[in-house]
């Protein structure tokens, strides 16, 4: 058995073990891993997630039990201190001596700390390990302003972390631009603007001379004599390979650090390999995981007799820094190659894209993307695979012009089989496609499990999605969300079927297009669709309606119901208020002002509902549809009629909007609001569609909600007049009604909509699908056919019959019981 | 015809004449009252099947099952409670959400336009 000793249990050290265990079928190796950190290897790439609550367990690559199960002897919290190359042994800090046949150095790197006066002071940190983060978190509680030294990739990540900790953040960079290794001047200016707008101070061309302060830090002095007041410093000025052990053992190292290795990744001692961030290959230290994983693979193949070698590795990267996409690929600068450059720059949106093209215009050499990097994967693959460029290569970065998503999908399929999709795990397109076909994989989870693709940095997941959909499509399979076991159609398909076939009842629909008796999922879903298409009185098919719709009221504890009359815009006369009070008094109902600017009357028995509504309707009220997956309320603020700040009459508009869409049934409930000025007292930005007055007109926001997962609405159009606003809402609502899954609020629907708000804008505002007029017509039909459901029930003796507790007696439910609280009745609690 | 001695294998069953067929909702439930009991009756029109069960949902002891949605899962007829959508088999009364509580079900027959429910031993619930 061959003794393998691994020094270092970081990301690459772990990956080496994983790959070796997978390759060695017979127990050919006896593996010992020495790791200095107190815990098994964890995901350093996503280290910053620790700040936002990701736990150590979640970051851990594999738990200690994994090593044990695979016969690996893992020593944590133990430093290797010397190597005896003649005796072939390693000695640890605890005096343990381990002998090896092959030794793997995976000692990674440490933060490079420049020799600045005062770096040893309390309050100066580096950013590399979980312990570093813990120290930063605890110190930040007493700090207010922090500076990060280093404006590279890691420095900016550290700056985001201190910002999230609630500190004022500054970035100090020696070079004249941010991310000098990845970005050019223009790209980094865009990034800088974005960071500054978030309140991060950016200080370029600054060389720190000293860190000042006695007991605690007071600030930094730069070589140009300027001073920056801070009480905490994080150093992120680069990495320094951990080659101290190699130097001590007489192995060759580079002048600027790093353990020298050849293409087989052997150090100057053939029995000792070095991989990961400590290895110096061809004058390069690779500070990324993907090349480290590739190195691990090479050494495993060396040890198992397939002499693979390591060649220069692509350093393309894509990251999301503080919410800004930043990517560079291939040769981003082309300083020494003849090339043509195409640049797209939008300073307002903060987007910069540059591609470098060969002189003959046929090949893509590299490029930079800031602010939007959707096309990164395609561009990277195009460059790497030497794919012939289309005649208008600028289309590649102009891209994303409304609904061009499909193009991306088919783009994946045009790549050659060798194209590397997941570079962290080295998985090619060919391997993925055959895994999907042969393993009959149907979701990303399975792909990850089966091929490991997508488990590293996660950057390839959008491509995996495309590949999955396209491969399944090619096999004639479709990725579909069918309604339930009774209908093998998606909601959208069923919607079209109902519309085109003209079917108006659930019974006919299930007979022709479904099977069985249906269930509590498909019945209400179909009811909702039919209501959105035909707008017939819903009690015509009472027994397919969801609970609350069956009795046009919300069922509550004890089996009683609530009554909510519509109060459009929250505006109500004294006379009407009195009627509500009288009705409540007569039927002994509990009264409450709702969060939706109206009044809810609780505790009505099912048999009382028609009588109560009869009185309300006589007084001019209508159903408030508080029970329906339909328009609820359009809240308003008092607006320019009374308010000294108001710029438009929000109450009038809110009432108009509510009157227009009242009773409109949708996949989920709809809420709206209209505010009279930017102070936004009606909370329009938390509604499915919200309107805010401006000096020039109205701003329309869509797809917000409160509820369990609050989300702000997004701006769809600004400074539009009322007619345009109504036109856009018509289109927006109809498009949502036609395409959303059952019980999906507009916010969730938008989150899943490919192309997001930009796509929605194209459809609604620019009418990119050419459906605008049709959508408006369909809405017009629904508006015209509106009838108050309660009025119909009250006037229809047959429908009124439904509102009885017993069919064979006129008695009320004798089980209902109330008690009193603060002068009103409330139901007695659940009996258990 | 010879006369037979009928042996009573079951305690006296009682078929209670509930109401005419038209009084019940089609493809839905309805509640009937019988000697202080509340019984939910369900009619599946497509197959012309009738089922009956207690009206009380055992989840929160609420008298509401007759207002639930009916349907089937893999062919098994069921009712879903209107309050929290717990489902119960109408054949066995079993809870289909894997919880312990079940409901009492009763045999139903239709004769000459009337619905009858077998409420079991005539008295003593
Ligand atoms: C009465 C009221 C609470 C109050 O006393 O203020 C209320 C009461 C109920 N809400 Fe609500 N919600 C009420 C305002 C809200 C608001 C505030 C608002 O509209 O400004 C919200 C958050 C805003 C939003 O919806 O985006 C709200 C978010 C919910 C949700 C979560 C929705 C979500 O997407 O996460 C539910 C559950 C659902 O609809 O599936 C819900 C469901 C319910 C139900 C219908 C639950 C039920 O089926 O029994 C409650 C029925 C009460 C009844 O019997 O009438 N209620 N509910 C409010 C009635 C407003 C009205 O006049 O119509
Ligand atoms: C905050 C942050 C963000 C990053 N983001 C990205 C990213 O987005 N994309 C990307 O590709 N890369 C990123 N990186 C870089 C990536 O984490 C490294 O490339 C990767 O961790 C290198 O793996 P390694 O195993 O070579 O080194 P390490 O993960 O550093 O592991 C080396 C281990 O060896 C131990 N060790 C050292 N000497 C000894 C000894 N003598 N005895 C015992 N143990 C020893 C160390 O304690 C350490 O645990 C990021 C790094 C950081 C810090
Ligand atoms: S928040 Fe919950 S408890 Fe309160 S009314 Fe809404 S649904 Fe009912
Ligand atoms: S009371 Fe029936 S499911 Fe809760």
């Amino acid at each position: 058995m061959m003794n393998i000793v691994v020094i270092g249990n970081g990301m690459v050290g772990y990956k080496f073990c994983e790959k070796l265990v997978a390759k060695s079928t017979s127990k050919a190796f006896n593996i010992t891993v020495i790791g200095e950190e107190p815990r098994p290897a964890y995901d350093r790439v996503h280290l910053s997630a620790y700040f936002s609550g990701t736990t150590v367990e979640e970051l851990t690559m594999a738990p200690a039990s994994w090593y044990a199960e695979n016969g690996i002897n893992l020593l944590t919290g133990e430093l290797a201190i010397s190597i005896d190359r003649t005796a072939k042994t390693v000695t640890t800090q605890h005096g343990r001596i381990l002998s090896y046949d092959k030794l793997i150095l995976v000692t990674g790197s440490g933060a490079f700390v420049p020799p600045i006066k005062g770096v040893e002071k309390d309050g100066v940190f580096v950013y590399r390990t979980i312990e570093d983060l813990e120290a930063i978190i605890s110190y930040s509680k007493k700090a207010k302003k922090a500076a990060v030294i280093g404006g590279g990739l890691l420095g900016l990540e550290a700056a985001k972390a201190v910002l999230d900790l609630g500190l004022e953040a500054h970035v100090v960079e020696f070079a004249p631009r941010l991310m000098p290794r990845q970005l050019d001047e223009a790209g980094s200016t865009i990034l800088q603007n974005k960071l500054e707008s978030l309140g991060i101070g950016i200080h370029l061309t600054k060389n720190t001379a000293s860190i000042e302060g006695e007991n605690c830090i007071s600030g930094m002095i730069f070589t140009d004599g300027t001073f920056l007041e801070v009480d905490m410093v994080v150093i992120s000025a680069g990495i320094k390979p951990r080659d101290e052990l190699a130097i001590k053992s007489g192995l060759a190292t580079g002048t600027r650090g790093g353990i020298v290795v050849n293409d087989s990744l052997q150090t100057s001692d053939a029995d000792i390999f070095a991989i990961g961030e400590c290895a110096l290959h061809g004058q390069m230290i690779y500070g990324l995981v993907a090349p480290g994983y590739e190195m691990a693979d090479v050494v495993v193949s060396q040890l198992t007799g397939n002499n693979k070698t390591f060649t220069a590795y692509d350093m393309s990267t894509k990251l999301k820094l503080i919410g800004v996409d930043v990517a560079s690929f291939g040769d981003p600068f082309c300083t020494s190659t003849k090339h043509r450059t195409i640049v797209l720059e939008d300073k307002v949106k903060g987007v910069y894209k540059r591609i470098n093209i060969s002189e003959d215009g046929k090949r893509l050499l590299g490029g930079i993307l800031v602010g939007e990097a959707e096309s990164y994967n395609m561009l990277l693959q195009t460059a790497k695979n030497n794919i012939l460029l289309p005649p208008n290569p600028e289309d590649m970065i102009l891209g994303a012009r409304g609904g061009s998503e499909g193009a991306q999908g088919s783009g994946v399929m045009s790549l050659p089989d060798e194209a590397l999709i997941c570079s962290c795990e080295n998985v090619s397109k060919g391997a993925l496609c055959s895994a999907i076909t042969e393993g009959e994989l149907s979701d990303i989870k399975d792909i990850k499990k089966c091929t490991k693709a997508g488990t590293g940095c996660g950057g390839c997941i959008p491509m995996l999605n495309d590949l999955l959909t396209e491969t399944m499509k090619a096999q004639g399979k479709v990725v579909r969300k069918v309604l339930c076991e009774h209908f093998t159609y998606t909601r959208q398909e069923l919607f079209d079927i109902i519309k085109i076939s003209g079917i108006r009842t659930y019974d006919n629909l299930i007979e022709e297009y479904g099977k069985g008796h249906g269930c509590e999922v498909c019945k209400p879903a179909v009811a909702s669709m039919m209501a959105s298409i035909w707008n017939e009185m819903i009690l015509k098919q009472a027994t397919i309606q969801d609970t609350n719709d069956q009795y046009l009221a919300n069922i509550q504890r004890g089996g009683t119901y609530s009554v909510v009359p519509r109060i459009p815009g929250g505006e109500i006369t004294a006379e009407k208020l009195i009627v509500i009070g009288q009705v409540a008094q007569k039927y002994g109902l509990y009264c409450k002002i709702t969060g939706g600017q109206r009044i809810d009357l609780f505790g009505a028995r099912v048999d009382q509902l028609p009588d109560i509504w009869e009185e309300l309707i006589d007084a001019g009220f209508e159903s408030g549809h508080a029970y329906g997956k339909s328009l609820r309320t359009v809240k308003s603020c008092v607006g320019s009629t009374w308010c000294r700040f108001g710029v438009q009459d929000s109450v009038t508009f809110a009432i108009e909007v509510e009157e227009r869409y009242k009773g409109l049934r949708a996949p989920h409930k709809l809420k709206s609001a209209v505010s009279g000025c930017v102070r936004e007292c009606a909370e329009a930005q938390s509604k499915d569609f919200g309107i805010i007055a401006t000096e020039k007109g109205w701003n329309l926001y869509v797809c917000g909600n409160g509820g369990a997962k609050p989300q702000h609405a997004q701006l769809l159009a600004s400074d539009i007049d009322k007619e345009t606003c109504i036109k856009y809402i018509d289109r927006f609502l109809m498009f949502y009604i036609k395409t959303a899954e059952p019980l999906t609020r507009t916010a969730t629907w938008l989150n899943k909509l490919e192309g997001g708000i930009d796509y929605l804008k194209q459809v609604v505002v620019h009418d990119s699908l050419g459906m605008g007029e049709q959508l408006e017509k369909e809405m017009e039909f629904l508006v015209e056919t509106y009838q108050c459901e309660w009025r119909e029930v009250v006037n229809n003796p047959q429908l009124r019959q439904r509102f009885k507790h017993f069919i064979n007696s006129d008695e009320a439910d004798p089980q209902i019981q109330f008690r009193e609280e603060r002068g009103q009745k409330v139901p007695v609690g659940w009996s258990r | 015809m010879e006369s037979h001695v009928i042996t009573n294998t079951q305690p006296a069953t009682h078929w209670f004449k509930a109401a005419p067929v038209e009084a019940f909702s089609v493809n839905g439930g309805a509640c009937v009252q019988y000697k202080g009991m509340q019984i939910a009756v369900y009619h599946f029109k497509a197959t012309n099947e009738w089922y009956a069960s207690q009206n009380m949902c055992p989840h929160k002891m609420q008298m509401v099952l007759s207002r639930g949605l009916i349907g089937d899962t893999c062919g098994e007829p069921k009712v879903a409670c209107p309050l929290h959508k717990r489902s119960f088999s109408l054949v066995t009364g079993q809870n289909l959400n894997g919880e312990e509580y079940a409901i009492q079900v009763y045999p139903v027959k239709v004769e000459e336009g009337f619905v009858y429910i077998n409420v079991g031993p005539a008295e003593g619930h």
Side-chain angles (χ1 to χ4, degrees):
Chain A
M1 217 153 50
M2 189 191 270
N3 274 338
I4 307 262
V5 173
V6 181
I7 303 184
N9 184 221
M11 296 187 78
V12 176
Y14 161 76
K15 190 53 73 175
F16 171 80
C17 295
E18 184 196 286
K19 286 182 188 269
L20 187 60
V21 177
K23 279 270 168 66
S24 70
T25 37
S26 61
K27 294 241 167 276
F29 302 104
N30 183 14
I31 312 168
T32 305
V33 179
I34 310 170
E36 175 193 13
E37 293 189 68
R39 54 178 66 81
Y42 52 88
D43 183 353
R44 212 179 295 286
V45 168
H46 294 106
L47 191 61
S48 298
Y50 188 69
F51 282 119
S52 47
T54 304
T55 61
V56 174
E57 286 70 41
E58 285 166 310
L59 287 174
T60 302
M61 311 284 295
S65 56
W66 177 87
Y67 296 86
E69 278 156 25
N70 287 288
I72 299 172
N73 179 20
L74 173 67
L75 308 171
T76 48
E78 194 148 342
L79 186 72
I81 51 168
S82 66
I83 304 169
D84 183 337
R85 287 165 51 200
T86 359
K88 294 182 110 179
T89 57
V90 176
T91 306
T92 74
Q93 140 212 41
H94 299 319
R96 207 189 302 254
I97 299 177
L98 299 154
S99 54
Y100 66 82
D101 296 311
K102 300 282 176 195
L103 178 64
I104 324 292
L105 298 176
V106 210
T107 48
S109 61
F112 165 66
V113 180
I116 300 170
K117 211 174 115 217
V119 279
E120 71 294 341
K121 291 198 160 91
D122 252 8
V124 181
F125 299 91
V126 295
Y127 193 79
R128 175 102 200 154
T129 64
I130 287 186
E131 284 68 28
D132 293 338
L133 264 62
E134 280 169 347
I136 291 174
I137 291 172
S138 89
Y139 196 87
S140 72
K141 298 200 173 110
K142 50 186 177 184
K144 288 204 177 62
K145 295 180 180 183
V148 174
I149 302 185
L153 196 156
L154 290 185
L156 295 180
E157 204 169 308
K160 153 114 173 106
V162 295
L163 193 70
D164 287 350
L165 288 172
L167 306 190
E168 182 182 315
H170 294 270
V171 172
V172 177
E173 169 59 48
F174 178 70
R177 62 175 197 264
L178 291 172
M179 295 185 72
R181 295 233 219 144
Q182 288 87 4
L183 301 183
D184 60 9
E185 185 77 44
S188 66
T189 307
I190 294 268
L191 180 63
Q192 180 178 349
N193 291 343
K194 180 77 194 186
L195 300 184
E196 281 171 344
S197 76
L198 293 170
I200 300 180
I202 308 283
H203 311 268
L204 300 175
T205 331
K206 289 278 180 197
N207 195 354
T208 312
S210 64
I211 298 171
E212 297 295 306
E214 284 300 314
N215 293 327
C216 49
I217 294 172
S218 58
M220 315 160 67
I221 295 180
F222 304 113
T223 49
D224 61 6
T226 52
F227 178 77
L228 179 67
E229 191 194 318
V230 291
D231 42 23
M232 180 168 157
V233 173
V234 179
I235 298 186
S236 201
I239 55 171
K240 187 174 156 296
R242 297 274 303 262
D243 55 8
E244 64 274 7
L245 193 58
I247 294 175
K248 205 171 143 192
S249 338
L251 297 174
T253 52
T255 41
R256 278 188 288 155
I259 308 167
V260 175
V261 291
N262 60 18
D263 285 353
S264 303
L265 304 178
Q266 286 160 315
T267 62
S268 51
D269 179 331
D271 289 327
I272 304 180
F273 295 85
I275 58 177
E277 270 187 358
C278 65
L280 182 68
H281 177 266
Q283 302 300 316
M284 269 292 275
I285 295 279
Y286 291 97
L288 296 172
V289 282
Y293 284 5
E294 172 67 14
M295 289 177 175
D297 197 57
V298 167
V299 175
V300 166
S301 97
Q302 297 274 340
L303 295 176
T304 50
N306 305 302
N307 300 310
K308 212 173 137 179
T309 55
F310 185 81
T311 45
Y313 203 89
D314 186 78
M315 291 291 277
S316 306
T317 33
K318 174 185 166 192
L319 350 128
K320 203 172 196 76
L321 275 171
I322 324 193
V324 192
D325 281 326
V326 178
S328 75
F329 61 95
D331 184 347
F333 307 119
C334 280
T335 32
S336 52
T337 336
K338 288 208 160 155
H339 67 282
R340 287 168 20 197
T341 297
I342 302 177
V343 169
L344 172 111
E345 190 173 355
D346 183 337
K347 288 213 167 110
V348 181
K349 280 198 187 150
V351 173
Y352 173 77
K353 299 180 183 185
R354 159 183 171 168
I355 48 176
N356 308 318
I357 290 174
S358 63
E359 270 205 305
D360 59 6
K362 291 201 170 126
R363 313 281 163 193
L364 181 61
L365 303 174
I368 295 168
L369 306 169
V370 179
E372 192 206 280
E374 240 175 81
S375 46
Y376 169 75
N377 279 314
M378 281 314 296
L379 291 171
L380 173 64
Q381 295 297 337
T382 309
K384 264 201 197 163
N385 292 288
N386 246 325
I387 289 175
L388 204 61
L389 291 181
N392 301 313
E394 64 274 15
D395 284 353
M396 292 191 299
I397 50 173
L398 286 173
R401 279 175 295 188
S404 62
E405 293 295 316
Q408 248 232 2
S410 53
V412 184
M413 294 317 268
S414 68
L415 291 174
D417 275 354
E418 315 77 72
L420 254 201
I421 303 291
C422 172
S423 39
C424 294
E425 290 288 342
N426 224 333
V427 192
S428 69
K429 178 194 155 197
L432 281 165
C433 290
S434 52
I436 294 169
T437 325
E438 281 152 31
E440 301 201 351
L441 309 184
S442 59
D443 67 27
I444 295 289
K445 252 200 343 254
D446 294 342
I447 296 189
K448 281 185 170 176
K449 210 155 134 206
C450 230
T451 65
K452 292 218 161 253
T455 57
C457 69
C460 61
I461 289 182
M463 277 193 127
L464 294 182
N465 263 319
D466 288 347
L467 261 183
L468 181 66
T469 319
E470 295 293 320
T471 312
M472 290 184 60
K473 253 193 219 158
Q475 286 173 269
K477 290 187 197 163
V478 200
V479 200
R480 292 189 331 154
K481 270 213 167 135
V482 301
L483 210 53
C484 69
E485 63 175 276
H486 305 103
F487 288 96
T488 51
Y489 297 97
T490 63
R491 178 183 182 275
Q492 208 176 335
E493 287 164 344
L494 218 47
F495 193 96
D496 292 337
I497 288 176
I498 296 171
K499 183 142 201 191
I500 293 161
S501 66
I503 292 180
R504 283 169 187 252
T505 69
Y506 178 85
D507 293 351
N508 287 350
L509 189 72
I510 195 162
E511 200 177 311
E512 281 194 42
Y513 293 94
K515 63 162 198 276
H517 292 293
C519 66
E520 72 279 10
V521 174
C522 59
K523 283 181 172 178
V526 168
S528 159
M529 286 184 256
M530 290 191 169
S532 295
I533 298 172
W534 309 126
N535 209 17
E536 292 182 333
M537 163 65 179
I538 64 163
L539 290 190
K540 270 192 172 176
Q541 301 189 71
T543 56
I544 63 165
Q545 306 295 338
D546 213 341
T547 309
N548 291 340
D549 273 333
Q550 285 201 23
Y551 295 93
L552 306 179
N554 290 318
I555 192 167
Q556 293 305 348
R557 295 188 168 212
T560 61
Y561 289 86
S562 68
V563 171
V564 187
R566 186 168 295 290
I567 301 179
E571 184 185 80
I572 185 165
T573 61
E575 287 71 25
K576 280 189 157 175
L577 272 176
I578 290 168
V579 172
I580 289 186
Q582 284 168 339
V583 169
Q585 208 169 34
K586 174 163 169 195
Y587 293 91
L589 304 175
Y590 167 97
C591 304
K592 181 174 185 304
I593 311 270
T594 73
Q597 293 187 341
R598 42 195 195 168
I599 298 168
D600 202 340
L601 309 172
F602 292 85
R605 291 192 319 260
V606 69
D607 57 287
Q608 294 176 316
L609 287 172
D611 300 337
I612 293 172
W613 275 106
E614 186 161 15
E615 296 194 23
L616 290 172
I617 283 167
D618 280 348
F621 284 104
E622 286 189 337
S623 166
H625 293 93
Y627 45 82
K629 298 298 176 211
S630 59
L631 182 87
R632 295 284 170 88
T633 63
V634 180
K635 298 209 312 191
S636 78
C637 71
V638 66
S640 58
T641 17
W642 290 93
C643 177
R644 64 202 160 117
F645 292 118
V647 293
Q648 307 275 356
D649 180 357
S650 50
V651 180
T652 302
F653 200 18
I655 294 172
E656 285 167 12
V657 172
E658 182 153 348
E659 292 288 352
R660 179 171 183 81
Y661 302 111
K662 64 187 177 189
L664 175 72
R665 286 197 145 72
H668 207 309
K669 62 188 177 195
L670 292 166
K671 297 181 177 183
S672 178
V674 183
S675 279
C677 82
V678 284
R679 286 166 194 75
E680 244 285 70
C681 298
E683 301 169 304
Q685 286 166 99
S686 68
K687 300 298 176 210
D688 296 279
F689 57 104
I691 304 165
I692 302 176
T694 67
E695 297 283 351
K696 295 185 210 133
W698 307 89
N699 283 353
L700 175 59
Y701 291 81
V702 292
C703 301
N705 67 209
K709 274 215 182 109
Q711 189 168 319
H712 278 143
Q714 298 185 48
L715 185 65
L716 187 75
S718 34
D719 292 328
I720 47 179
D721 59 19
K722 274 189 181 180
E723 292 73 57
T724 315
C725 191
I726 293 289
K727 181 165 93 176
Y728 290 169
I729 299 173
D730 280 2
R731 292 178 178 183
F732 160 70
L733 289 176
M734 263 340 278
F735 187 53
Y736 159 68
I737 287 172
K738 289 176 104 127
T739 58
E741 302 272 331
L743 300 180
T744 305
R745 289 283 296 266
T746 53
T748 320
W749 168 72
L750 181 68
N751 295 345
K752 289 192 195 156
L753 192 69
E754 275 193 56
I757 186 77
D758 292 331
Y759 177 65
L760 188 61
K761 257 184 218 164
Q762 289 294 331
V763 174
V764 172
V765 179
H766 304 296
D767 197 11
S768 63
L769 300 179
M771 289 170 69
E773 217 175 302
Q774 182 200 340
L775 296 173
E776 287 163 46
K777 257 208 216 126
E778 285 166 343
M779 180 62 80
E780 203 53 50
F781 170 78
L782 296 177
V783 171
E784 278 165 10
T785 49
Y786 165 83
Q787 278 172 314
C788 169
E789 291 152 354
W790 268 114
R791 175 180 293 272
E792 289 187 52
V793 172
V794 164
N795 295 328
N796 181 331
Q798 227 180 326
L799 284 177
R800 272 184 101 130
Q801 274 300 310
R802 281 190 47 77
F803 295 81
K804 278 175 68 181
H805 187 74
F806 296 112
I807 54 166
N808 59 341
S809 134
D810 287 331
E811 238 179 85
D813 180 359
Q815 296 280 326
I816 295 178
Q817 286 171 44
F818 298 102
R819 60 187 172 84
E820 214 187 82
E821 202 170 286
R822 290 184 297 277
Q824 297 203 71
K825 73 171 190 194
V826 292
V828 296
W830 297 126
S831 36
R832 75 159 128 116
Chain B
M1 248 187 146
E2 264 183 296
S3 68
H4 289 266
V5 178
I6 301 167
T7 32
N8 249 346
T9 48
Q10 279 180 309
T13 57
H14 174 60
W15 286 99
F16 153 60
K17 186 174 181 178
V21 166
E22 310 83 65
F24 292 85
S25 73
V26 175
N27 286 328
C31 183
V32 298
Q33 193 182 33
Y34 171 66
K35 296 199 176 166
M37 283 167 71
Q38 299 196 17
I39 300 173
V41 180
Y42 316 92
H43 180 200
F44 289 70
K45 192 182 129 212
T47 44
N48 202 26
E49 288 162 54
W50 291 79
Y51 298 93
S53 75
Q54 66 187 56
N55 192 34
M56 180 186 279
C57 176
H59 174 224
K60 294 285 179 188
M61 301 299 199
Q62 306 284 303
M63 283 293 183
V64 290
L65 286 180
S66 62
R67 300 180 210 163
L69 283 164
I70 61 169
D72 76 281
T73 174
C74 304
E76 176 115 343
K78 64 166 188 180
V79 60
C81 174
L83 280 169
H84 312 99
K85 298 269 156 74
R86 300 292 192 280
S87 294
F88 302 91
S89 161
L90 292 176
V91 177
T92 64
Q94 221 72 61
N95 179 306
L96 299 172
N97 304 89
E99 283 157 329
E100 285 179 354
Y101 40 78
I103 54 172
Q104 175 71 53
V105 292
Y106 305 99
V108 185
K109 69 178 180 187
V110 177
E111 269 173 22
E112 286 159 17
F114 269 86
V115 175
Y116 294 80
I117 303 161
N118 187 338
V119 286
E123 241 68 44
H125 281 281

